[in-house]
Amino acid sequence: MTPVRVHILTDGCPDFTDNANGTFTVHNALIGKGFHWHSRRSLTFKGTPEVIDGKLIETIDIEDYISSVIASEMNPDAPEEFLKAHAVISRSWVLGKVLRVHADLSSNGKCHTPNRIIDWNDTADHSGFDICNDDHCQRYQGLPSSEKRLLAARNATDATKGLILADRDGIVADARFSKCCGGKTEIFSTCWQDTDPHYLRSFADPHCDLSDMTEDEKNAFLSSVLNDYDRNTDLSHWYREVSSEAIKMRLNEVCDTSFDSLLSITPVAISSAGRIREMKFTFANGEITVGKELMIRRIFSDTHLLSAYFTIARDGDRYILDGKGWGHGVGLCQIGAARMALTGASFHEILSFYYPSAILKQI
Ligand SMILES: [Zn+2]
Ligand SMILES: [Zn+2]
């Protein structure tokens, strides 16, 4: 057994009941903190809970944790080969955290000068536990709602037991993933530390383009792969209109500045895939450049814009955003990978498509 220590986020002081059968129920668990699916739920977990410094920390076996992650990230009714691919990458990612092998990749970063704020947040501030249970790390929302779902997640975990992705030197890979890349995957440094693992590359992903499906086929596919609270989110192509005033207010709040009238917005650094890495905002009383991608997403929405993969045009006192994808786009694209499995790809084929130079390794 490899134990993992997980911080379960709660709304206020942890409120939980020990069910005396190896599980416990958290009555005020938080999911999607800061995102549009943010909610308070009652969730049941397998494992041993304890409260340390006001935080609910549980200790759970890594394979039990991975089963729950698969069922939290996606619907366990999704194609089996997709769930297996997810088990391998979720295992790789968490093992990297438990063994602390990605300290260089997991750092938080700040580069603040008067006219430039470049920020990124990873797991460097997780001390006293390995990971947290929210999207910041991997979604981990406890036991699935039915026996059937639990069995599907458990089968995918058991079928890939001990399999991980590794880099060229055999070191466990930092196997990132996101919901939908929108047609092109992203490199690591667009989102986090200025370093790029060889197995996380930018390339065209035709698999998450669902435009060849009828509406009925698309709805059936998305219902089978997404959890209920994810189903109303635009995935491949989206539009947003945001007022200059709203952008100014959020930017002042996020960057702790006091700019007045917004005059223009200019992307000043764009990744080769097309995501905005840095954006310049010019106001009547000054200008500021902001990055990286998550910071930009915070400025355009109270609950984070779906992605930084967008173009921007001005229309009077409003800005029109024409965007693609959901999430950072680095590594495996969950929608594309699920579609690959639906059309007959094995989990080996899915992994070698999304992590082209990584090695599948038994540990
Ligand atoms: Zn975390
Ligand atoms: Zn994709």
Side-chain angles (χ1 to χ4, degrees):
M1 166 170 164
T2 305
V4 185
R5 286 168 61 76
V6 190
H7 171 208
I8 295 169
L9 277 71
T10 54
D11 186 10
C13 295
D15 174 14
F16 64 97
T17 309
D18 191 334
N19 300 323
N21 60 354
T23 71
F24 61 99
T25 300
V26 183
H27 306 290
N28 61 343
L30 272 186
I31 68 166
K33 192 178 174 194
F35 290 93
H36 63 270
W37 59 96
H38 184 135
S39 59
R40 177 186 157 123
R41 298 202 170 193
S42 179
L43 301 173
T44 296
F45 296 85
K46 185 176 177 183
T48 310
E50 55 187 324
V51 177
I52 300 173
D53 296 335
K55 290 189 175 88
L56 178 56
I57 311 286
E58 83 151 329
T59 304
I60 183 170
D61 176 61
I62 195 166
E63 296 294 316
D64 288 331
Y65 164 80
I66 293 163
S67 293
S68 287
V69 167
I70 296 171
S72 308
E73 283 284 344
M74 301 298 274
N75 186 336
D77 294 335
E80 192 181 348
E81 292 299 305
F82 165 71
L83 298 179
K84 287 189 203 167
H86 216 303
V88 174
I89 62 173
S90 290
R91 182 180 294 111
S92 307
W93 184 88
V94 69
L95 203 59
K97 297 297 172 198
V98 171
L99 300 176
R100 307 282 193 271
V101 293
H102 297 300
D104 55 332
L105 298 179
S106 304
S107 68
N108 294 344
K110 272 188 200 318
C111 167
H112 291 192
T113 63
N115 295 322
R116 195 160 179 268
I117 294 185
I118 307 298
D119 250 337
W120 66 94
N121 285 300
D122 213 322
T123 53
D125 53 355
H126 287 5
S127 72
F129 52 94
D130 299 309
I131 47 173
C132 73
N133 75 317
D134 212 358
D135 294 66
H136 171 82
C137 285
Q138 302 191 93
R139 281 185 186 175
Y140 167 61
Q141 296 160 4
L143 294 167
S145 56
S146 72
E147 276 297 316
K148 181 173 163 263
R149 290 178 159 207
L150 178 61
L151 196 63
R154 175 51 77 182
N155 285 345
T157 311
D158 289 348
T160 60
K161 191 161 184 172
L163 280 179
I164 58 156
L165 286 179
D167 68 11
R168 289 189 195 114
D169 300 320
I171 310 287
V172 60
D174 190 351
R176 306 273 165 151
F177 56 87
S178 70
K179 199 60 75 194
C180 181
C181 78
K184 207 151 191 193
T185 61
E186 189 53 74
I187 56 171
F188 188 90
S189 59
T190 295
C191 309
W192 304 286
Q193 181 81 352
D194 285 328
T195 183
D196 283 302
H198 64 83
Y199 47 82
L200 297 173
R201 297 188 201 158
S202 176
F203 51 85
D205 175 13
H207 305 292
C208 57
D209 178 359
L210 308 181
S211 59
D212 60 327
M213 288 176 146
T214 64
E215 272 309 296
D216 285 350
E217 285 170 343
K218 194 163 114 180
N219 289 337
F221 169 66
L222 292 176
S223 300
S224 73
V225 301
L226 293 173
N227 280 320
D228 52 357
Y229 53 88
D230 285 334
R231 287 192 198 136
N232 294 327
T233 306
D234 309 321
L235 287 166
S236 40
H237 200 175
W238 47 264
Y239 297 92
R240 293 287 183 276
E241 275 189 39
V242 194
S243 71
S244 297
E245 187 64 19
I247 295 169
K248 180 193 79 178
M249 284 174 61
R250 267 196 297 269
L251 183 138
N252 279 335
E253 191 186 319
V254 170
C255 300
D256 194 23
T257 48
S258 50
F259 291 115
D260 53 24
S261 307
L262 177 61
L263 303 179
S264 67
I265 301 177
T266 317
V268 289
I270 299 177
S271 72
S272 63
R275 286 178 187 80
I276 301 169
R277 297 170 66 120
E278 294 183 24
M279 203 148 207
K280 185 166 86 175
F281 298 84
T282 304
F283 297 88
N285 61 340
E287 65 178 42
I288 190 164
T289 295
V290 176
K292 294 185 173 190
E293 67 97 41
L294 197 63
M295 275 289 275
I296 292 169
R297 289 166 61 191
R298 285 176 69 192
I299 288 166
F300 286 94
S301 166
D302 284 337
T303 53
H304 294 83
L305 198 62
L306 287 175
S307 76
Y309 196 1
F310 64 92
T311 57
I312 184 164
R314 189 171 183 168
D315 179 14
D317 66 351
R318 305 183 74 73
Y319 285 87
I320 314 295
L321 315 182
D322 181 347
K324 289 185 270 191
W326 176 13
H328 50 68
V330 180
L332 179 139
C333 163
Q334 290 171 322
I335 295 297
R339 181 84 194 278
M340 282 183 81
L342 185 73
T343 51
S346 68
F347 80 92
H348 291 267
E349 289 167 324
I350 294 169
L351 294 172
S352 54
F353 179 77
Y354 287 106
Y355 307 92
S357 58
I359 300 156
L360 195 61
K361 182 177 166 182
Q362 181 77 49
I363 53 162

